């Protein structure tokens, strides 16, 4: 699919057509952060959309949590809910053009939204964006689907993509997925090599 650009995604928000948004912070992600990550860690959620996890973590005192999404309507949704969220911590640029460093990056329905041809670039750029020993954590789909977002994938493919640049600490079926995704998600924790 060649039209997965900023205009495409912006239009989905403008048309109120964003069914991927679960409407609340995914506990699998926020539990991990609360159990493993210090409050002053630099955290990025790329392709954050309306940013429920960003909202949750900000309200819990994670003062360096950043959202990134190039759809400006997605940013507006977060800011409309969280009036004290600093505008400059919602980055509205192309992920692949970001040049900043983080201790933790959280993945949820961003990888699957990209054209699969970009997957090697995703791996390289995640590696570049992380500080030494930084961690990429989150959820990846475990399903066959190649007809447009969300694009699927499987554990073998993810191992092949990430193993040269990351230590694959965890990559397993997620047992606590939200109901519509149960059985179709892997939870992972990859540490920058
Ligand atoms: C399927 S949505 C998921 C949003 C959010 N993670 C959620 O779960 O609600 C994918 C998001 O990635 C954003 N996106 C896709 N490609 C991007 C890129 N290259 N740079 C920045 N944002 C991008 C889209 O604008 C969209 O908001």
């Amino acid at each position: 699919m060649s039209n997965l650009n900023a205009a495409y995604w912006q239009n989905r928000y403008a048309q109120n057509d964003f069914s991927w948004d679960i409407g609340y912070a995914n506990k699998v992600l926020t539990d991990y952060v609360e159990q493993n990550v210090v409050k002053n860690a630099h955290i990025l959620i790329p392709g954050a959309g309306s940013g429920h996890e960003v909202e949750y973590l900000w309200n819990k005192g994670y003062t360096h949590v950043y959202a990134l999404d190039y759809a400006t309507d997605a940013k507006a949704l977060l800011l409309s809910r969280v009036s004290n969220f600093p505008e400059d911590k919602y980055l509205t640029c192309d992920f692949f053009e970001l040049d900043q460093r983080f201790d933790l990056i959280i993945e949820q329905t961003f990888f699957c939204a990209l054209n699969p041809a970009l997957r090697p670039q995703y791996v390289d750029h995640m590696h570049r964006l992380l500080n030494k020993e930084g961690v990429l954590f989150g959820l990846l789909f475990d399903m066959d689907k190649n007809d447009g977002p969300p694009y699927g994938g499987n554990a073998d493919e993810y191992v092949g993509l990430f193993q040269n640049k990351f230590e694959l600490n965890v990559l397993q079926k997620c047992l606590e997925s939200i109901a519509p995704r149960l059985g179709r998600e892997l939870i992972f924790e990859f540490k920058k090599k």
Side-chain angles (χ1 to χ4, degrees), residues 111 116-124 140 153-166 168 190:
F111 179 91
L118 294 173
R119 289 181 176 185
Q121 272 171 258
Y122 170 105
V123 174
D124 288 349
L140 290 167
N154 58 59
D156 286 346
E157 181 190 353
Y158 303 143
V159 169
L161 278 166
F162 287 93
Q163 67 183 346
N164 289 340
K165 299 214 155 189
F166 290 85
L168 310 187
F190 298 163

Side-chain angles (χ1 to χ4, degrees), residues 4-6 9-10 13 20-22 45-53 68-71 74 90 93-96 108-110 112-114 118 149 181:
L4 291 177
N5 52 23
W9 291 106
Q10 167 60 23
Y13 288 99
W20 54 79
D21 187 320
I22 66 174
I45 305 190
S50 85
H52 298 288
E53 291 75 23
L68 178 147
D69 203 298
Y70 57 20
Y90 198 121
C93 62
D94 188 325
F95 166 75
F96 293 101
Q108 175 174 242
T109 60
F110 174 53
C112 69
L114 298 172
L118 294 173
R181 297 179 190 160

Side-chain angles (χ1 to χ4, degrees), residues 39-93:
K39 290 275 168 77
N40 65 353
H42 285 239
I43 303 171
L44 173 68
I45 305 190
S50 85
H52 298 288
E53 291 75 23
V54 175
E55 173 179 1
Y56 180 95
L57 294 173
W58 172 253
N59 285 333
K60 286 283 175 181
Y62 287 88
T63 46
H64 298 292
V65 62
Y66 289 78
L68 178 147
D69 203 298
Y70 57 20
T72 50
D73 277 17
K75 174 175 182 170
L77 286 168
L78 175 63
L79 295 181
S80 72
R81 294 196 314 266
V82 195
S83 56
N84 68 346
F85 188 76
E87 268 200 54
D88 61 356
K89 286 201 158 62
Y90 198 121
L91 311 169
T92 46
C93 62

